[in-house]
């Protein structure tokens, strides 16, 4: 087999979408690492711009203020699945973007069209630069960001299973409150006018409710390898 053909087959673009708590991040990183692909957590980019706005005094309840400030921060995402990074204006924001304050505000910020336009353009440029192939995870990747992705996967799980996973990640969290927060986030993401959370018509749906993380990873790896062979 020629090097050109091998490269073409390995340079697969995989879009993984779904709501919070379905295992998107863990699955995407593991699949990318197993197959030698780059990895992009698009949700981290929306968290990054939200963190920047909160830090710089932008009223995140005011869409006009958000729109005006959207182009100011410089967000850089590292795409190594074993050690993904994200910086904002040169500052390592990996931990800073995971606070409850950012989590509670990110839906409002990400719903503003100007924000989505800028971040979507950034995501597309990163995917285009990943010559060896990339796994991109988010909520609108298969429908809006990369509608021509080679493989689209939509992960789902019951609210109960998702809440249990999230509660397990945060010590001392309340299961009922976590479940209600997830459902609220789903409604905000699915109901926004610009690039709502939705399953692409040609996406493969994987219900992770009864599956272990390893089973989900193996399932997705098999799907990607099948797509490579068919390329």
């Amino acid at each position: 087999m020629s090097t050109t053909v091998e490269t073409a087959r390995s340079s697969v673009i995989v879009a993984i979408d779904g709501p919070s708590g379905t295992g998107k991040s863990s699955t995407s990183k593991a699949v990318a690492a197993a197959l030698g692909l780059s990895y992009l957590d698009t949700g981290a980019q929306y968290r990054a711009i939200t963190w920047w706005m909160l830090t710089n005094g932008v009223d995140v309840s005011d869409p006009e203020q958000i729109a005006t400030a959207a182009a100011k921060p410089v967000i850089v995402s590292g795409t190594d699945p074993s050690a993904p990074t994200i910086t904002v204006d040169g500052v390592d924001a990996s931990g800073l973007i995971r606070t409850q304050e950012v989590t509670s505000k990110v839906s409002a910020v990400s719903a503003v069209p100007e924000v989505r336009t800028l971040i979507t353009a950034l995501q597309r440029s990163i995917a285009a630069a990943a010559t060896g192939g990339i796994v991109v995870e988010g909520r609108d990747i298969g429908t809006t960001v990369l509608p021509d992705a080679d493989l689209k996967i939509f992960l789902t799980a019951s609210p109960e299973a998702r809440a249990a996973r999230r509660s397990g990640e945060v010590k001392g969290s309340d299961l009922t409150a976590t479940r209600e927060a997830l459902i609220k986030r789903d409604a905000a993401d699915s109901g926004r006018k610009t690039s709502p959370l939705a399953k692409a018509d040609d996406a493969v749906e994987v219900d992770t409710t009864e599956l272990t993380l390893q089973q989900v990873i193996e399932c997705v790896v098999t799907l990607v390898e099948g797509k490579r062979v068919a390329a």
Side-chain angles (χ1 to χ4, degrees):
M1 185 182 290
S2 70
T3 302
T4 302
V5 173
E6 288 178 350
T7 302
R9 286 190 174 181
S10 63
S11 299
V12 62
I13 294 179
V14 183
I16 299 183
D17 291 306
S20 300
T22 53
K24 288 197 310 296
S25 294
S26 299
T27 299
S28 299
K29 281 187 282 190
V31 168
L35 298 175
L37 304 172
S38 295
Y39 160 75
L40 177 62
D41 175 1
T42 64
Q45 295 175 319
Y46 285 106
R47 284 176 170 274
I49 197 169
T50 300
W51 171 78
W52 182 91
M53 291 190 180
L54 290 169
T55 305
N56 286 273
V58 176
D59 181 355
V60 295
S61 66
D62 184 346
E64 289 189 9
Q65 280 198 39
I66 293 172
T68 299
K72 294 180 179 179
V74 176
I75 298 170
V76 178
S77 297
T79 58
D80 179 351
S82 63
T85 59
I86 187 159
T87 63
V88 184
D89 294 341
V91 176
D92 177 8
S94 302
L96 300 170
I97 64 174
R98 301 295 172 182
T99 65
Q100 185 54 45
E101 183 182 23
V102 171
T103 298
S104 66
K105 304 297 184 184
V106 66
S107 285
V109 173
S110 62
V112 175
E114 288 81 358
V115 170
R116 298 208 75 83
T117 296
L118 284 164
I119 299 295
T120 294
L122 175 60
Q123 292 162 359
R124 286 174 176 163
S125 69
I126 292 170
T131 54
I134 190 168
V135 177
V136 184
E137 61 137 315
R139 286 169 170 76
D140 66 339
I141 311 306
T143 54
T144 302
V145 180
L146 300 170
D148 296 324
D150 299 300
L151 175 64
K152 302 175 187 177
I153 295 170
F154 193 84
L155 299 184
T156 64
S158 70
E160 291 74 20
R162 293 161 52 208
R165 291 169 186 169
R166 276 297 156 93
S167 293
E169 294 171 359
V170 183
K171 290 184 178 180
S173 60
D174 179 85
L175 185 60
T176 302
T178 301
R179 180 179 181 276
E180 290 174 354
L182 285 173
I183 291 174
K184 183 179 180 181
R185 176 78 190 271
D186 290 349
D189 290 343
S190 301
R192 65 178 176 240
K193 292 181 179 179
T194 306
S195 302
L197 164 67
K199 175 188 171 186
D201 291 339
D202 54 348
V204 177
E205 183 170 328
V206 179
D207 188 336
T208 70
T209 303
E210 302 294 336
L211 301 177
T212 65
L213 174 59
Q214 190 56 42
Q215 287 173 324
V216 178
I217 292 167
E218 290 171 359
C219 174
V220 175
V221 165
T222 299
L223 289 169
V224 177
E225 288 180 332
K227 182 60 65 173
R228 278 178 163 177
V229 170

